[in-house]
Amino acid sequence: MSNILNGKVAVVTGGSRGIGKAVSQKLASLGANIAVIYSGNDSAARNVEEYCEKNYGIKARTYKCDVSNFTEVKETIAKIKTDFGTVHILINNAGITKDGLAAMMSEEDFDRVLEVNLKGAFNMIRHTAGLFIRNREGCVVNISSVAGLIGNAGQCNYAASKAGLIGLTKTIAKELAPKGVRCNAVAPGFIVTDMTETHADNPLLKMIPLGHMGDVEDVAEAVSYLVTAKYVTGEVLRVDGGIAM
Ligand code: NAP
């Protein structure tokens, strides 16, 4: 099991911090070479690159790229192809929040969250699909959220983007299954990361059946399952302590 991804190339967006960092490290521990995409924090990205190369003996590289920018993504995937030869695994994890009640939310805040969280995933799939089809092999995991399944007051932009990712996941699964490409989603609940540091007093935490927030490794475990589950496609796997059941 430990070398099950030997020789595979995985691209992890937002792979430098939080859940994406744990996913990068998990896939590297299974033998995959890792391309980490991030938006601004150079040192966090470099740390993941160094950690993965040193601890798992794989090749890792970092790429600064705004996933919401169609042209930047196209150029970044071209660079990754030059550096690694191809791509087998794509984890669409990069995401942001800009919370507020719908009645007061600015157009900019609504648009930006949709651009990064949903269009970003489309951009990545759009520019890697050709490689997957050529390889007759590929696997996409989109990081959605329980907010996309059950909604969350104060997050209409975020919940819409995450629900949109589920529609994207099922459509890509249907379009690319005949080419040997799978596409699944993970819907995390409350996971301890920088994104949730302001949620410590959130009353919703008391409604988690398992009684506590999740760890980034819990999500990375689910991602690695979907990456290796050869007969699973179009699925949405909740990792949420039961909050959305
Ligand atoms: P995080 O700690 O804030 O990390 C976000 C990552 O995304 C960073 O690596 C960041 O890079 C990158 N990023 C942000 N905007 C980007 C852009 N435009 N282009 C490329 N990269 C970008 O977030 P997290 O909590 O780990 O969340 C990761 C994913 O899980 C998100 O999609 C989030 O919606 C989802 N999720 C999280 C939770 C939770 O409880 N934490 C729950 C459900 C779903 P820089 O550091 O360089 O900016």
Side-chain angles (χ1 to χ4, degrees):
M1 179 72 182
S2 71
N3 291 327
I4 195 168
L5 300 181
N6 253 2
K8 302 296 181 196
V9 178
V11 178
V12 184
T13 72
S16 57
R17 290 194 295 115
I19 290 171
K21 176 180 174 180
V23 170
S24 296
Q25 292 177 351
K26 178 73 186 175
L27 298 182
S29 78
L30 297 175
N33 296 311
I34 306 290
V36 171
I37 290 180
Y38 69 104
S39 67
N41 189 331
D42 299 313
S43 64
R46 247 192 326 272
N47 286 344
V48 174
E49 175 183 312
E50 282 168 16
Y51 182 92
C52 289
E53 290 205 331
K54 192 167 158 217
N55 288 280
Y56 305 117
I58 53 88
K59 172 172 165 174
R61 293 288 179 272
T62 61
Y63 302 86
K64 189 180 210 163
C65 165
D66 177 356
V67 294
S68 72
N69 185 314
F70 189 85
T71 309
E72 257 184 58
V73 169
K74 183 179 181 184
E75 291 166 359
T76 301
I77 296 300
K79 276 187 218 153
I80 292 171
K81 184 169 178 282
T82 302
D83 292 347
F84 288 88
T86 190
V87 176
H88 304 99
I89 298 161
L90 167 63
I91 314 299
N92 281 314
N93 163 80
I96 59 168
T97 54
K98 287 185 182 293
D99 296 352
L101 295 172
M104 328 247 270
M105 185 173 288
S106 70
E107 183 181 7
E108 290 72 27
D109 283 357
F110 187 87
D111 287 350
R112 186 63 190 150
V113 169
L114 268 288
E115 280 166 12
V116 174
N117 297 7
L118 182 55
K119 190 183 166 206
F122 162 72
N123 288 341
M124 292 297 303
I125 292 167
R126 171 67 181 77
H127 294 299
T128 49
L131 299 174
F132 296 150
I133 290 167
R134 208 165 308 149
N135 293 337
R136 294 204 69 80
E137 169 190 342
C139 169
V140 181
V141 178
N142 295 319
I143 307 300
S144 177
S145 166
V146 292
L149 295 171
I150 59 174
N152 193 22
Q155 290 196 310
C156 68
N157 48 0
Y158 183 78
S161 73
K162 295 300 184 179
L165 274 179
I166 292 172
L168 180 70
T169 298
K170 294 182 179 183
T171 300
I172 298 300
K174 286 184 175 172
E175 285 186 6
L176 294 185
K179 307 291 182 192
V181 180
R182 297 180 300 107
C183 183
N184 291 290
V186 174
F190 286 97
I191 308 296
V192 181
T193 68
D194 295 344
M195 185 182 270
T196 50
E197 67 185 356
T198 56
H199 288 242
D201 302 327
N202 192 325
L204 284 177
L205 295 181
K206 294 201 171 59
M207 295 168 67
I208 301 171
L210 285 180
H212 57 87
M213 289 176 75
D215 297 322
V216 290
E217 290 78 15
D218 297 324
V219 183
E221 197 64 46
V223 171
S224 74
Y225 164 70
L226 290 171
V227 165
T228 54
K230 291 188 169 45
Y231 201 55
V232 178
T233 197
E235 186 55 89
V236 182
L237 179 54
R238 286 187 297 105
V239 181
D240 66 348
I243 199 169
M245 73 180 149

